[in-house]
Amino acid sequence: MSQSNPVPASAGTFSADSGSRRPLVRLSGVSKVFSNGTTALQNMTMDIRQGEFISLLGPSGCGKSTVLRIIAGLGDPSSGTIEWPTSGHDASGKALPEISFVFQEPTLMPWATVFKNVWLPLRLKGISKQEAHDRVMEALEMVGLAKFADAYPRELSGGMKMRVSIARALVTRPKILLMDEPFAALDEITRFKLNNDLLHLWEKFGWTVVFVTHSVFESVYLSNRIVVMAARPGRVVNDMLVDAPYPREEDFRTTSVYNDYCRDASAALHAAMDANDHL
Amino acid sequence: MKALEEQEQVPAPAILDEPQPVFAPRDTNFERILKFVIPAAMLLLLVALWGWYVEAYKVPHYILPSPKRVAMSLYDDWGTLSAALLVTLKITFTALGIALVGGVGLAVLMSQSRWIELALYPYAVILQVTPIVAIAPLILIYAPSTQSALLICAWIVAFFPVLSNTTQGLKSTDHNLLNLFELYGASSWQTLVYLKLPNALPYFLAGLRIAGGLALIAAVVAEFAAGSAGAGSGLAYRLLESQFRLNIPRLFAALILLSFTGVLIFAATSLLSHLLLRKWHESALKREN
């Protein structure tokens, strides 16, 4: 990173003063009812503070992906509001948050090289290939794929494709990174490795992350706050803090603290699912 | 990236041990030679069999000419035949060209507006499903010249595969990628150029391969239906003329020219498709298991 790049506050400071800041995003009474009558999300209220790593944990159908999409502005809520108190707004008063989104699939353009895929968000803003070159390479370097800039997606393994997808999300230097079960389709070894790499990057750059997952272990390992959700209708049933220090390395997975949090999160998840045990 | 390297607590992600897909090596020289030798040998064998049959059973040349007679006719009548071939080629490629522009243009238009699609698509289908031989007489009446009538016929036939395939390609864009473009505030023009058109390319090329063959067929069929004659007529007329005059060697020669042209068009469109897709599309990929 060059000196001129605006790097968000480092992660080391978030826990001390994040509570005192205005939230980055505020969801108030957000509900979403689909046109077929399904209530995907009911009355969700949540503050997302700068620098938090939040996991949305829940069974399928609990609306966790819906929350993410609503935050991203892909589809409006049926009721309730989403505020961005710290972001700029355009002339019509619409918030212009700096969001990046990582989908469950790598979602790369197969006809474009790795470089061009990562360049895309900048290209859409009218930044030429030359101007974007350093930023794209920097993003690729972050995920360890600088050598593969000229490769096509089909030449990469599943984990590498996901890294490209993450590089594309990071190239815009977002304030908030929304991740929709990004590692769910990967094998466990690759997933653990990507978990570690993601954490290292987050510790370094300190963006805010909202991470959707159905894995208790993944959510405890990564996040400092877990929002447990239940299905039918999708709603929040528990909001717990994971008060374990970063940096977390592989050995964190075998500590008793990790174990305790996993048990708690698991219990919360089961409580959420028991409410629907007739299914 | 200096800062990143200096930060020792951020280890560089170790990923190069992840398995990458394995691709089959390109054909060996031997395989590549065989690819040409086998079809060529087969062709020689068939022609030899044909020559032997005509010779052994003394088949009269007005029923089945020997390969040698056909070759001689091709050589002797080259002036007439090449002029006719040129006319047919001109109609075929002009029709194909207009079909490409029109087909892609209309497909883009229909993908941008549901209303335009609802209004126009049924007519494109009607044009396609009505046999061209049945419309040809009508077109002959309305068109200013026979040549333009043939062109219209060939265009109608070649147009639909391009339109229908390109439309399908534009519609089958990955929804997540569309969401991504929306998220990054892409204009509909950017979405079209950077996402929908590249995505539709393989579909379009498949349509092009069908349209290339169909344009030639339609150019010939329309000429049959039009019954054009004299100077400025294409290979179809020469075929009919040879049949009336029982000049069967020339009929064969014209036929060979036609199928050769068809094969060339197919090979050219396949090559184009291969060149454009070989880097990324599954269809141009050879995977080793």
Side-chain angles (χ1 to χ4, degrees):
Chain A
M1 305 237 62
S2 67
Q3 281 310 103
S4 60
N5 294 333
V7 179
S10 85
T13 59
F14 87 90
S15 50
D17 58 8
S18 61
S20 61
R21 288 191 199 161
R22 279 190 300 170
L24 186 64
V25 192
R26 169 168 284 162
L27 284 80
S28 325
V30 171
S31 298
K32 176 79 181 180
V33 182
F34 286 127
S35 52
N36 64 8
T38 315
T39 306
L41 194 62
Q42 199 175 52
N43 196 24
M44 179 160 181
T45 298
M46 179 167 82
D47 279 0
I48 298 172
R49 285 175 292 271
Q50 173 80 45
E52 273 185 320
F53 198 128
I54 300 181
S55 282
L56 299 179
L57 176 67
S60 48
C62 71
K64 51 195 195 297
S65 292
T66 309
V67 180
L68 216 58
R69 301 174 75 82
I70 288 176
I71 295 174
L74 298 168
D76 293 320
S78 308
S79 62
T81 56
I82 294 129
E83 287 167 77
W84 297 84
T86 58
S87 297
H89 292 71
D90 68 9
S92 63
K94 198 169 166 264
L96 298 168
E98 292 154 52
I99 297 177
S100 276
F101 203 107
V102 178
F103 295 91
Q104 185 172 359
E105 306 289 322
T107 316
L108 304 176
M109 301 181 291
W111 55 85
T113 59
V114 164
F115 182 94
K116 285 189 177 169
N117 267 292
V118 176
W119 172 33
L120 178 78
L122 301 177
R123 189 184 198 182
L124 292 174
K125 288 198 176 79
I127 298 174
S128 76
K129 194 174 178 180
Q130 254 173 343
E131 283 176 272
H133 182 269
D134 289 351
R135 283 173 68 179
V136 171
M137 289 314 290
E138 183 185 295
L140 281 174
E141 200 119 357
M142 282 188 215
V143 298
L145 282 181
K147 268 193 256 168
F148 291 86
D150 295 324
Y152 283 83
R154 71 169 167 88
E155 295 170 271
L156 307 178
S157 67
M160 288 158 88
K161 282 183 202 165
M162 202 30 103
R163 285 169 188 281
V164 177
S165 190
I166 292 171
R168 178 181 60 196
L170 298 183
V171 78
T172 53
R173 300 195 183 113
K175 278 199 182 135
I176 180 163
L177 185 60
L178 306 174
M179 306 182 89
D180 189 3
E181 299 190 37
F183 309 141
L186 301 175
D187 64 87
E188 194 173 72
I189 300 170
T190 311
R191 189 176 341 133
F192 280 7
K193 228 165 7 178
L194 282 171
N195 280 166
N196 290 336
D197 292 344
L198 176 66
L199 263 192
H200 291 315
L201 288 168
W202 173 77
E203 282 157 14
K204 183 164 156 49
F205 296 106
W207 343 275
T208 308
V209 181
V210 183
F211 190 98
V212 165
T213 180
H214 51 234
S215 161
V216 168
F217 305 104
E218 194 175 38
S219 66
V220 174
Y221 185 68
L222 292 173
S223 37
N224 47 36
R225 181 176 165 202
I226 299 176
V227 174
V228 183
M229 299 179 70
R232 280 167 282 261
R235 63 202 186 277
V236 175
V237 290
N238 208 323
D239 194 336
M240 53 192 281
L241 292 177
V242 181
D243 193 11
Y246 294 92
R248 295 175 186 168
E249 298 291 344
E250 201 56 50
D251 51 11
F252 178 60
R253 289 186 195 276
T254 50
T255 61
S256 61
V257 182
Y258 176 71
N259 228 327
D260 291 344
Y261 278 118
C262 284
R263 196 181 309 119
D264 290 354
S266 208
L269 186 61
H270 278 110
M273 288 166 75
D274 284 346
N276 296 30
D277 61 359
H278 56 280
L279 294 166
Chain B
M1 288 312 298
K2 273 181 202 146
L4 188 63
E5 282 156 21
E6 284 159 12
Q7 294 248 345
E8 287 194 359
Q9 74 272 30
V10 183
I15 42 94
L16 303 181
D17 47 343
E18 274 177 45
Q20 283 174 259
V22 179
F23 294 99
R26 292 193 172 270
D27 295 343
T28 60
N29 275 339
F30 179 65
E31 278 173 336
R32 215 176 299 169
I33 291 167
L34 271 190
K35 262 187 192 172
F36 290 96
V37 167
I38 292 177
M42 188 68 196
L43 181 70
L44 280 179
L45 189 76
L46 283 177
V47 171
L49 196 70
W50 168 17
W52 168 82
Y53 173 77
V54 170
E55 202 71 26
Y57 290 85
K58 308 244 175 315
V59 186
H61 65 78
Y62 50 83
I63 296 193
L64 180 65
S66 68
K68 204 176 130 203
R69 266 181 193 276
V70 174
M72 275 169 62
S73 165
L74 196 57
Y75 182 78
D76 293 337
D77 299 339
W78 180 248
T80 326
L81 288 176
S82 64
L85 175 64
L86 212 62
V87 172
T88 302
L89 282 183
K90 221 170 94 183
I91 293 172
T92 304
F93 283 107
T94 317
L96 189 58
I98 305 175
L100 290 189
V101 175
V104 173
L106 197 59
V108 168
L109 209 63
M110 293 197 321
S111 78
Q112 298 295 309
S113 158
R114 179 100 184 102
W115 296 111
I116 296 177
E117 184 183 356
L118 282 174
L120 295 184
Y121 200 70
Y123 297 96
V125 173
I126 290 170
L127 270 182
Q128 169 66 14
V129 297
T130 314
I132 193 66
V133 192
I135 324 175
L138 209 59
I139 294 173
L140 273 167
I141 296 174
Y142 298 136
S145 70
T146 313
Q147 296 305 311
S148 55
L150 298 187
L151 190 63
I152 293 170
C153 289
W155 171 75
I156 289 175
V157 173
F159 165 75
F160 191 75
V162 177
L163 171 71
S164 131
N165 276 34
T166 312
T167 307
Q168 184 68 20
L170 290 170
K171 277 186 182 173
S172 58
T173 312
D174 181 356
H175 283 257
N176 279 335
L177 275 171
L178 283 172
N179 279 334
L180 190 81
F181 271 66
E182 189 190 332
L183 193 74
Y184 287 121
S187 65
S188 53
W189 173 252
Q190 283 175 322
T191 310
L192 179 69
V193 174
Y194 296 145
L195 179 59
K196 287 186 174 173
L197 285 179
N199 187 70
L201 185 66
Y203 296 82
F204 162 77
L205 287 167
L208 172 66
R209 261 200 283 190
I210 302 170
L214 281 183
L216 180 67
I217 292 172
V220 171
V221 169
E223 202 182 358
F224 277 151
S228 69
S233 39
L235 272 178
Y237 167 70
R238 293 296 165 203
L239 275 172
L240 285 178
E241 184 202 43
S242 309
Q243 188 207 4
F244 292 146
R245 296 181 179 178
L246 278 185
N247 189 347
I248 306 301
R250 194 203 266 188
L251 195 152
F252 267 85
L255 204 54
I256 286 171
L257 276 183
L258 266 182
S259 46
F260 190 65
T261 309
V263 170
L264 268 190
I265 292 177
F266 181 79
T269 48
S270 299
L271 179 70
L272 182 71
S273 167
H274 174 75
L275 289 179
L276 288 172
L277 302 183
R278 70 192 159 135
K279 289 247 176 81
W280 64 274
H281 199 252
E282 294 291 333
S283 67
L285 207 65
K286 214 180 197 183
R287 197 166 274 234
E288 191 161 354
N289 282 316

